[in-house]
């Protein structure tokens, strides 16, 4: 058997299985002609590369909300994991296949199926069930999204709010904790601390490809002019290199000598400008910012007034913790 299709109705059990267990199952009657021993030939699982059928992409090509989500999913490399259930109740003649979905793919599904999430959270029957169909090719080990049906009541204000929240924050933000992808109850941080850099010399930026497709906040420093800059970027490496190119001739810091960055977590992309504002605001209270109207005088300016010999880099931060959590002391 070269291929078979699996349709999942994103409602009730289907939704819960996808988001809570990160799997869907393929019954025996669907894959009955597949040589099931192939799954265990190289161990207990095999990888199928995820793709999207051109017809699906074309059908949503004019949809400004859905197409960017599908296109981004299409461009990234993702794999479904097919597993052989070795439970005692099953044998080769009565066996379902378990398909494991990676978290990065579920993030896109969360954006696509936000209508079902909202309706189910409110214990309401969705007027038109959302569905997704996968076509597995057992010869080239690929799985394509071959059909997609979505319900999108655009004029419903709560839908708009939920859609934006699902695409930017997390579903917890709109009271739908049961559809959380991550099960940790710890407070999330805007920043991905595993992708927070030290200060680096400018020359290293050309080869800093790890941030080519990462969004976040960056800082630039020109040690010759003693200038400092805070910015945001959807693609950090590309944006910082734009400062160097100084295309319009009015870049504020084209000759920066050092840089650093902090990648932000995916669900906060939509709030990137707010995080940048916070960083500019906080640093503007410390360093002199000539364009500032409301956050002056800065601490550096104050220090110069108090004592001309005082240097801002002599100031020591005496906090006991680098960053705070939600828990408050009573």
């Amino acid at each position: 058997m070269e291929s078979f299709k699996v349709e999942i109705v994103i409602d009730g059990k289907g939704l819960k299985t996808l988001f809570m267990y990160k799997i869907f199952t393929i019954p025996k009657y669907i894959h009955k002609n597949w040589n099931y021993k192939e799954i265990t030939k190289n161990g207990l699982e095999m990888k199928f590369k995820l793709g999207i059928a051109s017809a699906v992409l074309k059908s949503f090509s004019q949809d400004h909300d859905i197409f960017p989500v599908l296109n981004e999913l299409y461009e990234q490399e993702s794999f479904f994991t097919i597993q052989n259930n070795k439970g005692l109740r099953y044998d080769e003649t009565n066996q379902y296949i378990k398909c494991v979905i990676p978290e990065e793919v579920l993030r896109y599904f969360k954006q696509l199926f936000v209508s079902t999430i909202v309706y189910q959270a409110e214990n309401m029957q969705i007027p038109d069930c959302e569905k997704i169909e996968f076509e597995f090719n057992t010869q080239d080990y690929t799985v394509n999204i071959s059909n997609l049906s979505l319900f999108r009541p655009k004029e419903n204000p709560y839908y708009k709010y939920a859609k934006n929240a699902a695409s930017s924050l997390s579903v917890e933000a709109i009271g739908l904790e049961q559809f959380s992808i991550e099960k940790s109850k710890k407070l999330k941080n805007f920043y991905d601390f595993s992708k927070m850099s030290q200060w680096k010399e400018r020359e290293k930026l050309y080869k800093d490809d790890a941030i080519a497709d990462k969004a976040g906040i960056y800082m630039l420093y020109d040690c010759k002019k003693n200038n400092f800059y805070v910015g945001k970027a959807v693609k950090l490496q590309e944006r910082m290199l734009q400062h160097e190119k100084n295309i319009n001739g009015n870049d504020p810091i084209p000759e920066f000598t050092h840089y650093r960055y902090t990648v932000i977590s995916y669900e906060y992309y939509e709030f990137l400008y707010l995080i940048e504002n916070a960083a500019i605001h906080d640093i503007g209270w410390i360093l002199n910012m000539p364009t500032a109207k409301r956050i002056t005088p800065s601490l550096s300016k104050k220090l110069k007034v108090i004592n001309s010999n005082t240097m801002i880099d002599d100031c020591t931060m005496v906090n006991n913790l680098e960053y705070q959590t939600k828990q408050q002391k009573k």
Side-chain angles (χ1 to χ4, degrees), residues 100-270:
V100 182
I101 309 172
E103 284 191 0
E104 64 267 19
V105 174
L106 285 174
R107 295 183 189 280
Y108 293 103
F109 286 179
K110 183 176 67 174
Q111 297 176 58
L112 294 175
F113 303 123
V114 66
S115 289
T116 301
I117 291 175
V118 171
Y119 271 87
Q120 186 161 317
E122 295 296 321
N123 295 315
M124 296 170 59
Q125 180 65 44
I126 190 169
D128 188 8
C129 287
E130 298 184 303
K131 302 176 184 178
I132 187 168
E133 181 183 77
F134 299 106
E135 183 172 8
F136 287 82
N137 188 309
T138 60
Q139 299 298 310
D140 60 11
Y141 296 97
T142 59
V143 52
N144 278 320
I145 298 174
S146 53
N147 199 5
L148 183 64
S149 299
L150 300 176
F151 178 68
R152 304 180 58 240
K154 294 184 179 181
E155 300 309 313
N156 184 317
Y158 184 69
Y159 167 79
K160 292 181 180 180
Y161 169 62
K163 176 180 66 66
N164 290 333
S167 64
S168 56
L169 284 167
S170 58
V171 286
E172 294 93 336
I174 51 176
L176 309 179
E177 292 87 350
Q178 65 267 45
F179 302 118
S180 173
I181 295 173
E182 301 85 358
K183 296 306 174 188
S184 173
K185 296 302 180 183
K186 293 180 180 179
L187 182 70
K188 292 184 181 179
N189 198 296
F190 282 122
Y191 297 129
D192 183 345
F193 278 88
S194 66
K195 297 183 178 64
M196 179 180 285
S197 79
Q198 304 290 326
W199 281 102
K200 301 181 183 182
E201 291 76 18
R202 173 183 183 148
E203 292 71 24
K204 294 183 179 179
L205 178 58
Y206 309 120
K207 296 182 180 180
D208 207 344
D209 297 330
I211 55 169
D213 60 346
K214 301 297 183 184
I217 302 300
Y218 65 93
M219 299 177 184
L220 304 177
Y221 180 66
D222 182 344
C223 67
K224 297 175 184 176
K225 296 182 179 179
N226 199 26
N227 287 344
F228 187 88
Y229 182 87
V230 179
K232 66 178 181 301
V234 176
K235 295 183 178 181
L236 282 163
Q237 184 187 41
E238 179 181 319
R239 179 67 186 96
M240 284 189 278
L241 288 174
Q242 286 176 353
H243 286 279
E244 178 186 66
K245 294 175 183 177
N246 194 13
I247 297 174
N248 296 323
N250 58 357
D251 192 279
I253 192 164
E255 298 177 357
F256 65 92
T257 56
H258 296 79
Y259 74 97
R260 69 163 303 279
Y261 56 83
T262 305
V263 173
I264 69 166
S265 300
Y266 171 86
E267 57 263 49
Y268 297 111
Y269 273 23
E270 190 169 327

